[in-house]
Each structure stands twice: as C-alpha cells, then as structure tokens.
Amino acid sequence: ATDGVVDNRLFSTTKISVLLDDNTYLLWRQQVLLALKAHKLQGFLDAQQVPPTQFVSDGDGGLHANPEFERFEQQDSALASWLLSSISPTVLPHLIGMNTSAKIWNAIILALSSKGDVSMKEFLMKVKSCCDNLASCGEVISEHEHVTAILNGLPSEYESVISIVTASQVPYTVQGVTSMLLDTETRQQVINCDISSSLNVVSHQSSETSVDNDSIPAYRPSSASRGRGRGRSSNSRIQCQLCGKAGHLVDHCYYRFDSSYKSNNYRPPPQANCCMISPGSPMVPWSSPAQQNVQWCPPGWCFPTPPASI
C-alpha cells in the first residue's frame, strides 16, 4: 500500500498459471500462498483476524470513519477479487455470497477438501475448522452444508456410507455422519489387518516350502540307466539267446528265420539250451522243473530232447 491506497498493479501483474478446479487445488493453493507472502497479505486469509473498527470517536464524542478500516476493506476487497479471478467457472457457484478474502478462502477449502491419507478424525476436524472459520467471518454454515462438505471429501471406499446418507428420507446430522464414518474406518482397519496377517502366513509357508525343496537334491539319472527301456542300450541286461548280443530277445533277432546261421561265440545257459530241427520232427515233452524254465520257442526252433545236463 502507498499512502493508504492499495497498489493495483499487484493484482494486475500477479497471475496464477493454473485455475482452481476439482483437480488442481494443491497446485493452485501453493501459487496463491507464495504470491500473498511475497506481498505480506496472507493475514487477510485468517478468519480469526479482527478487522479495525469501522468508526472512531473524535474528541467531541462524535463518530467518524476510521481510515484504518477503509484501508483494510480496500485491501481485502482487492484480494478477494484477485482470488475469484483465479477460480474456474465450475467452482465459482460454491462461492456465491462470499464477499471477503477469508470467506472465499475457507469456502474453497471446505468445498474441495478431501480426506486423503489422514485419519477420519483429522479429516472431520479439518472440515469443522473450516465451518467455524466461516462462522467467525459471519458466514454460518448450515447442518446440511456441513454434511455435504464431509461427503464430498470422502474417498471411494466410503461409497456405502455416502449412499446411505444421501438416500435417507430423514436428514442425517453431523454427529450421526461422524459416528458412521468413524465406525466404518475402524471396521476397514480390522479387515485390512486380517488380510495382512493372512498374506504374511501364506508368504511364510511358501518360504518354508521353498527351503524344503531346495534341501532335496534334484534327481539326475545315471548314465547306466538312461537307455533302459528303449531296447537299444548296450548296457541293457537282456540278451538274445540266439546270437548272444545284448539289447534284444530272440523274437526280435535278425537271424531267427535264418536256418543256416550258427552262433560261434555264444553258449546258451543250460535252461535255455536249444537246437535246430526241421519242421515235422517229433517233439519230446518235458516234465522236469528245470525243463519248464523255457516257456516258449521261436518259430523253427524247439527242444527235441531234454538237454544232457538235465
């Protein structure tokens, strides 16, 4: 101020780059506060600040206008106009009837305040403080407006409470809404605690299972057993009774239909002793247990007489 008159250049040159709406409150608030502090005008936003009296008495007992009050009113009106110029048209309807900087400031906080990460008790106290500040400025907030401000600041997890209050035929009081919200917050904390405990138990069990599995050595088949069961491994225990080679039986032997083939290197065990006869030769039945060890004979092969060792 210069000689009791506000320098109008303050409000014509200081611009807010972001208009206030439902999504820009924090950024807008920061810019406004910095601008006001730069010109030492932040005191006008304090609803508890008592303005100078409008009239003062003279020495003769008469009253005349107080210059201090006129300067204060001029500064406050200029600041209020500057604040309104930085607000988007979607928010302006909430500020109808607000004619001082303190009223506008607290009405904005009340309209756009949200719970955020604070506790429900802190959020409710914040809303109540804004209502009290407006009341101290002469702008009394009704019960319905107070409840509406609370509901507008609640996050989505309180949608059930919002639906109950707004759908009720009987208007809820501030005290009734406060009790519902505090009870809901307590219930949500219990549920979140139970879920967290369950997740910790599952995580602990998974960790123990992982440790147990790590302590069990992984199975690695030995080289001697990798070819077993496919009939081609040289380490297989089966052996042909005709050619003497390992890896197959007589019924799969290449020489089983070759009557001219004779094995020179293989000597069959006694229980598998056999010889070649021509078709039609008489078969001699065996009755001893040792003879019965041979359960079958390939085509063209038989046992015409019991082996000499039996």
Side-chain angles (χ1 to χ4, degrees), residues 270 273 286 291 305-310:
N273 194 9
W286 292 1
Q291 296 168 355
T305 60
S309 61
I310 299 177

Side-chain angles (χ1 to χ4, degrees), residues 1-152:
T2 303
D3 296 333
V5 179
V6 174
D7 187 353
N8 292 327
R9 291 178 297 175
L10 165 66
F11 302 102
S12 61
T13 59
T14 304
K15 299 295 182 180
I16 300 300
S17 60
V18 178
L19 292 180
L20 174 65
D21 58 25
D22 294 336
N23 301 314
T24 60
Y25 170 70
L26 294 178
L27 182 59
W28 174 87
R29 181 177 183 273
Q30 181 183 23
Q31 294 184 73
V32 168
L33 289 178
L34 289 175
L36 295 181
K37 288 179 180 180
H39 297 276
K40 298 182 179 181
L41 296 173
Q42 65 270 26
F44 287 91
L45 304 182
D46 186 4
Q48 304 301 322
Q49 181 178 351
V50 179
T53 58
Q54 184 174 359
F55 300 100
V56 293
S57 60
D58 53 18
D60 298 332
L63 296 178
H64 61 86
N66 184 1
E68 294 294 328
F69 174 79
E70 292 179 349
R71 183 171 58 185
F72 177 88
E73 186 177 43
Q74 185 184 30
Q75 290 177 328
D76 183 68
S77 298
L79 179 57
S81 177
W82 178 76
L83 287 174
L84 292 175
S85 67
S86 66
I87 298 174
S88 66
T90 58
V91 180
L92 284 175
H94 297 283
L95 306 176
I96 295 177
M98 309 297 173
N99 54 9
T100 67
S101 301
K103 287 182 180 180
I104 294 172
W105 183 255
N106 285 278
I108 290 173
I109 298 176
L110 184 63
L112 300 180
S113 61
S114 60
K115 180 179 178 298
D117 296 330
V118 302
S119 66
M120 182 57 68
K121 183 177 180 180
E122 291 175 319
F123 168 67
L124 294 173
M125 290 299 298
K126 178 181 178 181
V127 175
K128 184 178 184 302
S129 177
C130 292
C131 293
D132 292 342
N133 288 337
L134 288 171
S136 65
C137 296
E139 193 69 31
V140 179
I141 301 299
S142 65
E143 191 94 353
H144 175 72
E145 291 173 329
H146 194 156
V147 170
T148 301
I150 293 174
L151 298 181
N152 289 340

Side-chain angles (χ1 to χ4, degrees), residues 5 30 39 49 64 78 82 101 107 142-143 172 174-175 177 199 211 229 231 242 254 263 297:
V5 179
Q30 181 183 23
H39 297 276
Q49 181 178 351
H64 61 86
W82 178 76
S101 301
S142 65
E143 191 94 353
Y172 271 81
V174 173
Q175 184 61 40
V177 173
L199 291 176
V211 172
L242 175 59
Y254 178 78
S263 176
C297 188

Side-chain angles (χ1 to χ4, degrees), residues 234 236-250 253-256 261-269 274:
S234 60
S236 176
R237 294 182 180 180
I238 61 174
Q239 186 179 25
C240 179
Q241 294 175 325
L242 175 59
C243 67
K245 295 181 180 180
H248 65 274
L249 295 174
V250 177
C253 184
Y254 178 78
Y255 300 103
R256 64 175 178 156
Y261 173 76
K262 292 182 179 180
S263 176
N264 297 323
N265 299 324
Y266 176 67
R267 296 294 182 269
C274 57

